[in-house]
Amino acid sequence: MPATLDRQLVVAISSRALFDFEEENELFEAGDDRAYMALQQQRLDVPAKPGVAFSLVHKLLGFNVGAAAPRVEVVVLSRNDPISGMRVFRSAQHFGLKIERGVFTRGTSPWRYLRPLKAQLFLSANEADVRSALGAGVAAARVLPSGARASDAHPHELRIAFDGDAVLFSDEAEQVYQASGLDAFQAHEIERAGLPLPAGPFKPVLEALHRLQRDKEDAMSVRTALVTARSAPAHERALRTLMNWQIEVDEAMFLGGLAKGEFLREFEPDFFFDDQIGHVESARAHVPAGHVASGVKNV
């Protein structure tokens, strides 16, 4: 009987999102494929440094420790060549990351393998791959490799923060705001306060985290936050939507347009997801952050 990833949270991640390959990537971006491969081969026995999404992956895999069956599967899905993939696996082993599966496509887009992997989340430094994944219905974010690393203050707690519109929720309300301004947006949301928002691309990820929190009773836990530019009275529809989904978040920040970075610095997430690049830039100075290229702001 073949192996299966059913009933697991499957996270696909590129090698640059997981490890710091920025020096090597300069050769790759210059189009010198052979020199890049040669450099990676020379460094096979040199573990790569942790990248922006390293803490997220490390803690997700922590939910498998002591479990009767794996709860989370992390797969490397990379434009790297197979030889460079050897260094990725060796680096993962060095840090105790139990990553056993990988797909390496040597320069071509790997997103098409998300479907057979049944991946619910894809993290990559390549914007085109992220957009392709989102277009295929998979939650995806572009990791900014030069961003901050996660705090080590919460070793047994996975902390993730989400924006609302175009991330957890659809961009229905954001479209109103962009077309008609703040007053029209507020009126639209007050009128529809009791009507749940349609789901955004990251609703399945929040659901999967909710299941991990509910079903897993050991040293690892989950803490989630909604960090949104919404303010009262538009906050109510967002909260009622989560209530309708029967999903709880631990913290909610309705910031009314304030910069999100300093608030996220205090929450200390392992990762933050937002659809607006300005918010991601504000966040990345303090915490790991990824750009979700969905919704009207990213057309």
Side-chain angles (χ1 to χ4, degrees):
M1 185 174 178
T4 178
L5 299 179
D6 291 344
R7 303 180 66 81
Q8 295 184 53
L9 167 58
V10 180
V11 177
I13 187 166
S14 74
S15 55
R16 280 179 67 206
L18 180 57
F19 294 114
D20 183 352
F21 282 139
E22 293 316 291
E23 181 183 347
E24 294 88 343
N25 189 62
E26 290 179 7
L27 287 175
F28 189 85
E29 293 293 339
D32 197 343
D33 186 31
R34 290 293 178 183
Y36 173 84
M37 290 173 60
L39 180 59
Q40 291 283 38
Q41 190 168 357
Q42 291 169 16
R43 297 179 174 179
L44 275 179
D45 296 321
V46 180
K49 297 177 183 178
V52 171
F54 181 91
S55 178
L56 173 67
V57 168
H58 181 263
K59 289 185 180 180
L60 280 169
L61 290 171
F63 284 89
N64 293 336
V65 177
R71 306 296 310 286
V72 178
E73 176 75 18
V74 175
V75 181
V76 178
L77 189 60
S78 173
R79 287 175 178 251
N80 261 323
D81 63 279
I83 290 176
S84 302
M86 288 176 61
R87 189 177 180 210
V88 175
F89 279 124
R90 288 190 180 189
S91 298
Q93 185 179 29
H94 170 81
F95 288 106
L97 301 180
K98 192 173 176 56
I99 297 176
E100 299 176 340
R101 293 180 170 89
V103 177
F104 303 93
T105 60
R106 194 175 177 180
T108 64
S109 179
W111 71 268
R112 61 191 183 276
Y113 294 107
L114 291 168
R115 186 170 288 112
L117 286 169
K118 299 180 181 178
Q120 291 119 298
L121 175 62
F122 178 47
L123 300 176
S124 173
N126 187 287
E127 182 174 1
D129 291 346
V130 165
R131 287 182 176 271
S132 295
L134 287 164
V138 179
R142 179 170 65 93
V143 176
L144 305 178
S146 59
R149 301 303 190 260
S151 166
D152 59 1
H154 310 281
H156 303 297
E157 186 173 64
L158 173 64
R159 291 184 164 219
I160 302 185
F162 301 91
D163 181 33
D165 297 291
V167 179
L168 289 181
F169 316 125
S170 80
D171 71 332
E172 170 198 301
E174 181 67 26
Q175 291 183 42
V176 174
Y177 177 76
Q178 294 298 322
S180 305
L182 180 60
D183 290 343
F185 165 80
Q186 296 280 28
H188 179 271
E189 294 304 278
I190 293 170
E191 180 183 343
R192 294 165 176 78
L195 183 65
L197 283 155
F202 275 73
K203 180 193 176 185
V205 177
L206 184 60
E207 287 178 319
L209 294 173
H210 189 67
R211 288 194 296 271
L212 284 177
Q213 177 74 308
R214 181 191 62 204
D215 298 339
K216 184 68 174 172
E217 296 182 1
D218 65 0
M220 289 299 298
S221 62
V222 179
R223 189 167 186 85
T224 54
L226 170 66
V227 184
T228 172
R230 285 176 178 252
S231 58
H235 74 295
E236 185 169 330
R237 192 178 185 198
L239 291 177
R240 286 188 175 274
T241 298
L242 293 173
M243 292 166 62
N244 177 266
W245 293 349
Q246 297 184 333
I247 297 177
E248 298 175 357
V249 293
D250 298 291
E251 300 190 22
M253 305 176 200
F254 301 100
L255 300 181
L258 292 175
K260 296 181 179 180
E262 293 186 359
F263 292 90
L264 288 160
R265 181 190 64 201
E266 300 305 319
F267 179 66
E268 298 182 309
D270 295 290
F271 215 85
F272 169 60
F273 298 98
D274 201 296
D275 70 301
Q276 296 193 34
I277 192 63
H279 293 317
V280 175
E281 291 291 349
S282 172
R284 69 189 291 218
H286 306 284
V287 302
H291 178 226
V292 182
S294 68
V296 66
K297 292 287 287 186
N298 292 291
V299 174

